[in-house]
Amino acid sequence: MKECKNAQKIRSLAFNRQRRELACLSLNGYIHVWNMENFKQSLSRRLPSSQENVCLAVKDDGSIYAIGCRSYTLLLDSRTLQPIRKISARYSGCGIRSASFQDNTLTIGTGIGMLMFYDLKANRYLESSINASRTVVLKTSRGFVFPDEEFADQGFHQMKYTPAIYTHCYDFSSTRLFAAGGPLPASMFGNYAGIWQ
């Protein structure tokens, strides 16, 4: 067992194959990097915001870390952990819950059941070929939710429920995208899984 210096609970881990490092995101707003050859902590940096840093991803070439926060995704240089770019969420209040890279596209899963796609080369969200002013977004279906008695008594069944996307990944061919998640409130139970092709 190893302990991260300056860390509270660890929220997310990402293995950087190219740099032979393990990046850790802690609850108190730090990113920590461990050298996997000697298993020693090599870097630790406080992030610009300590609010809801919940997910971490690494680009395939090992050059960039993406950190999902409450209202934006922060891109960091993996060598120095210095911020490169702050990508604001396209929709307010969505909360970034998952992130992944596919070549030069950053896929972002939100707390309101949407997947968004950001083109790193063009420095913008992907836009629809049918309507250029619209961002490409995939929306989840309802999924399954089983509210506790407190929510049932408050008429939860009449409320609209959208699952948060806590994880997502592409298949080996990069033609299908799997997403999974569930309710955002901790007092609710449920799940969601979907595949887009």
Side-chain angles (χ1 to χ4, degrees):
M1 183 171 95
K2 292 281 189 175
E3 187 173 327
C4 278
K5 294 175 188 162
N6 301 322
Q8 288 178 348
K9 297 176 183 176
I10 301 298
R11 295 290 300 260
S12 187
L13 300 169
F15 180 61
N16 188 332
R17 284 194 166 117
Q18 301 299 321
R19 297 184 52 80
R20 307 290 301 154
E21 296 175 339
L22 180 67
C24 310
L25 182 63
S26 64
L27 185 62
N28 59 334
Y30 279 83
I31 183 170
H32 313 276
V33 176
W34 289 77
N35 180 313
M36 294 310 294
E37 293 179 4
N38 61 18
F39 211 65
K40 291 189 178 178
Q41 191 170 344
S42 57
L43 282 171
S44 186
R45 183 160 318 267
R46 184 155 182 68
L47 297 168
S49 172
S50 61
Q51 293 186 332
E52 290 190 45
N53 297 302
V54 297
C55 61
L56 174 66
V58 62
K59 196 168 184 292
D60 293 340
D61 66 6
S63 63
I64 299 173
Y65 290 118
I67 297 173
C69 307
R70 175 184 287 178
S71 59
Y72 62 88
T73 304
L74 182 65
L75 300 182
L76 303 176
D77 183 317
S78 65
R79 296 166 298 162
T80 63
L81 301 183
Q82 291 295 324
I84 298 171
R85 187 176 304 141
K86 183 177 172 180
I87 303 168
S88 296
R90 205 41 160 326
Y91 301 92
S92 63
C94 67
I96 310 303
R97 297 294 176 221
S98 60
S100 72
F101 289 96
Q102 185 63 33
D103 297 322
N104 287 307
T105 301
L106 173 65
T107 305
I108 300 167
T110 69
I112 57 173
M114 292 189 310
L115 284 161
M116 301 179 293
F117 305 89
Y118 191 85
D119 185 330
L120 296 171
K121 284 190 173 184
N123 195 23
R124 64 180 184 193
Y125 284 97
L126 294 181
E127 294 174 348
S128 169
S129 59
I130 298 168
N131 184 348
S133 65
R134 298 201 62 181
T135 302
V136 174
V137 173
L138 297 178
K139 294 182 180 181
T140 63
S141 60
R142 180 176 162 85
F144 170 78
V145 65
F146 181 77
D148 64 13
E149 290 178 20
E150 175 185 336
F151 278 93
D153 292 341
Q154 295 174 5
F156 175 79
H157 295 293
Q158 285 78 35
M159 292 173 56
K160 185 179 179 194
Y161 159 73
T162 306
I165 299 174
Y166 291 115
T167 189
H168 64 270
C169 64
Y170 291 87
D171 71 353
F172 290 112
S173 68
S174 301
T175 59
R176 293 191 297 174
L177 177 62
F178 170 78
L184 199 53
S187 59
M188 292 171 53
F189 301 95
N191 54 58
Y192 166 81
I195 294 177
W196 285 274
Q197 195 164 330

